[in-house]
Amino acid sequence: MLSVQGIEASYGAAQALFGVDLTIEAGQAHALMGRNGMGKTTTIRAICGLTPAQKGDITFQGRKIAHLPSHKIARAGIGLVPEGRRCFATLTVRENLIATARPGAWDVATVSKLFPRLEERAGQMAATLSGGEQQMLAIGRALMTNPALLILDEATEGLAPTIRAEIWAALRALKADGQSLLIVDKTLKEILPVADACTILERGRSVWSGPPDALTDDLTTRYIGV
Ligand code: ATP
């Protein structure tokens, strides 16, 4: 459903991506891995049109999207849960959810079923939620757009173990439901059981792609640092 071929991207004069390839099949969970600063967030930003690719191709559901503005890429069916959550602090949980709604299977009721805590806190300002609840809200907001592909950038970073477990359980449920996922996360023991395929980035290039069971200790030591 998504094919990224040879993309390059820069922040001003500083080039961050030098050739990233990535293929995601429909209904699969794809893990994007690599050490800090290797280009994971930039790859996601390029896919979403936030830091547009200057070279290479991005094809989503048969359509070339690399040249599209970010709102059109979102409308084409790519939902992003950005690093750092970014909910509207002064809107309630319910208002945050409604703000991104587009017709489809995901609505306030189905999101509340996935994350019952959001229902309990429906009338509360987003700013008053815990970090984990804000992350659930960020995922809920992205789901409300009814994306064909949901992208999550470090969705469990800095959260307590019980909340992390809840979020991973939700991601497993989404996958079981057929949702296509692109997940950036640093915790291999959490991401690998969920992933159907992995891509490793090293200094702005994709250096390895394959199923999780083909990921050797040698590769993880070399490129992920564990
Ligand atoms: P992390 O796990 O730390 O988030 P990452 O793999 O997501 O790392 P990126 O954030 O994509 O890596 O960064 C790739 C490169 O681009 C790094 O060299 C980084 O310093 C640089 N970079 C990222 N954001 C900017 C920016 N806004 N301006 C300039 N350079 C940037």
Side-chain angles (χ1 to χ4, degrees):
M1 72 154 22
L2 179 78
S3 164
V4 171
Q5 289 168 314
I7 58 165
E8 299 186 18
S10 304
Y11 295 99
Q15 189 164 352
L17 302 184
F18 296 86
V20 172
D21 298 324
L22 180 75
T23 304
I24 304 179
E25 309 292 340
Q28 292 211 332
H30 197 103
L32 184 59
M33 302 184 298
R35 286 189 295 259
N36 288 345
M38 293 302 164
K40 303 179 298 294
T41 296
T42 310
T43 298
I44 284 174
R45 290 182 59 85
I47 293 169
C48 295
L50 298 166
T51 301
Q54 292 137 334
K55 281 193 186 157
D57 272 329
I58 306 175
T59 309
F60 177 64
Q61 294 184 319
R63 177 178 175 198
K64 296 218 182 218
I65 60 164
H67 62 285
L68 292 179
S70 56
H71 70 276
K72 290 210 171 138
I73 295 174
R75 207 178 302 152
I78 297 183
L80 174 65
V81 182
E83 205 172 9
R85 295 149 205 161
R86 309 216 193 106
C87 301
F88 295 122
T90 58
L91 295 186
T92 66
V93 167
R94 196 185 162 79
E95 287 164 347
N96 262 281
L97 291 175
I98 290 168
T100 58
R102 290 181 53 221
W106 290 103
D107 55 22
V108 174
T110 47
V111 167
S112 303
K113 215 165 151 196
L114 183 69
F115 293 120
R117 281 162 180 259
L118 295 183
E119 187 165 30
E120 290 162 23
R121 288 166 175 57
Q124 245 172 265
M125 296 275 194
T128 68
L129 299 179
S130 71
E133 289 161 355
Q134 284 186 21
Q135 188 63 65
M136 291 174 187
L137 181 56
I139 297 172
R141 278 166 51 84
L143 286 172
M144 290 290 287
T145 69
N146 280 284
L149 173 65
L150 179 66
I151 302 181
L152 300 111
D153 195 357
E154 312 258 13
T156 61
E157 194 178 31
L159 300 179
T162 51
I163 298 276
R164 296 175 78 93
E166 278 183 54
I167 288 174
W168 282 109
L171 296 183
R172 282 194 297 275
L174 288 174
K175 193 187 131 169
D177 204 35
Q179 175 70 54
S180 307
L181 300 167
L182 174 58
I183 307 174
V184 170
D185 211 287
K186 292 199 187 86
T187 321
L188 293 188
K189 78 175 196 311
E190 289 174 322
I191 197 170
L192 291 181
V194 182
D196 298 293
C198 314
T199 294
I200 299 178
L201 298 187
E202 171 81 356
R203 295 179 201 205
R205 288 185 174 83
S206 43
V207 291
W208 187 86
S209 229
D213 56 9
L215 195 61
T216 59
D217 289 347
D218 184 45
L219 282 167
T220 54
T221 311
R222 191 158 149 204
Y223 293 123
I224 303 168
V226 285

